[in-house]
Amino acid sequence: MTGCAPLWHPSPNFGPRRNGLRPQLIVLHYTAMVSAEAALSRLCDPAHEVSAHYLIGSDGTLWQMVREDMRAWHAGAGEWMGDTDINSRSIGIELDNRGDHPFPDPQMQRLEALLPRIMTRWSIAPEGVIGHSDMAPGRKCDPGPRFDWQRLATLGFARPARRSNAATAATPQSFRRAARACGFTAEVDDATLLEAVRLRYRPWGEGPLCPDDLTPLLD
């Protein structure tokens, strides 16, 4: 899909970025609503006090609601790499998806056209492209287990997961250290942290912590 000019649909739900902060993250969400139009209405309704910079429909339609230099209200409470106020540090992209079905190819193609433009404008590294569940573990689960992070990583638009056949001993302590080094610094219990990391790197994972949970976090 070529071109990435968004349809401008301004939301009143925004403000200035605080403390001179600028975007260093891109946070991906799913809308969990019945349609892109319903999500657009909510994201632009002052009564709901939520917004995002962009919304991508399942057919690839792209809307922009907030200018990138402004602070949209999409992330809420959370932490990444030891930093809070993620709204002031990020650009939010909503994807029209309920969370229980695959993300259509036209939507993914539009996201893949949008991401490098934002990353270039703000010098955001692939490691700075994260999910809502990454920075708000236990509170949020989007973009969910059906989102294809590996597809983005292959294109250089997200952190790749390490793949290795060598088993690495995994303990709660070693897992937490590795997760924190990758950015998962929110204060949560071991089970919640494991769930958040699995959502990002191996959503098919089940049961107690195992070496395969640790491996994707290692450099």
Side-chain angles (χ1 to χ4, degrees):
M1 181 175 292
T2 59
C4 203
L7 301 174
W8 177 243
H9 196 289
S11 172
N13 303 332
F14 71 93
R17 295 184 183 274
R18 298 170 179 169
N19 301 315
L21 293 171
R22 52 181 280 138
Q24 61 195 55
L25 299 169
I26 299 170
V27 181
L28 304 183
H29 308 256
Y30 62 53
T31 58
M33 298 190 71
V34 296
S35 68
E37 290 73 22
L40 190 65
S41 177
R42 178 171 295 233
L43 292 164
C44 295
D45 184 346
H48 288 288
E49 298 186 341
V50 294
S51 64
H53 295 88
Y54 296 98
L55 167 66
I56 305 177
S58 59
D59 64 355
T61 302
L62 174 66
W63 292 272
Q64 183 172 3
M65 294 158 285
V66 177
R67 283 177 16 211
E68 289 183 6
D69 62 334
M70 301 303 288
R71 182 180 185 271
W73 305 340
H74 61 97
E79 182 178 314
W80 185 254
M81 282 289 183
D83 292 324
T84 56
D85 189 8
I86 303 301
N87 281 334
S88 288
R89 304 174 189 274
S90 67
I91 288 172
I93 301 175
E94 291 275 358
L95 301 170
D96 173 30
N97 188 286
R98 297 187 308 274
D100 59 359
H101 58 91
F103 292 74
D105 196 60
Q107 184 178 56
M108 291 298 293
Q109 288 187 42
R110 182 64 76 180
L111 177 63
E112 290 157 1
L114 177 62
L115 283 174
R117 289 168 167 79
I118 299 173
M119 295 166 76
T120 298
R121 275 194 291 272
W122 298 101
S123 300
I124 297 174
E127 291 76 12
V129 180
I130 65 173
H132 201 185
S133 58
D134 295 337
M135 48 77 50
R139 187 175 71 84
K140 294 294 181 179
C141 60
D142 52 315
R146 305 303 295 269
F147 186 75
D148 193 347
W149 282 105
Q150 183 57 43
R151 174 170 169 163
L152 290 191
T154 298
L155 294 170
F157 302 152
R159 179 189 181 274
R162 176 181 172 182
R163 304 296 181 201
S164 173
N165 293 324
T168 304
T171 65
Q173 295 76 21
S174 65
F175 179 73
R176 184 172 290 273
R177 283 195 302 270
R180 289 184 65 85
C182 287
F184 294 87
T185 55
E187 291 300 324
V188 294
D189 60 43
D190 290 346
T192 302
L193 179 60
L194 176 59
E195 180 182 18
V197 171
R198 281 180 172 171
L199 267 175
R200 174 63 185 267
Y201 292 112
R202 50 187 311 266
W204 58 88
E206 296 180 346
L209 176 69
C210 69
D212 288 341
D213 295 311
L214 178 61
T215 298
L217 300 171
L218 302 176
D219 292 326

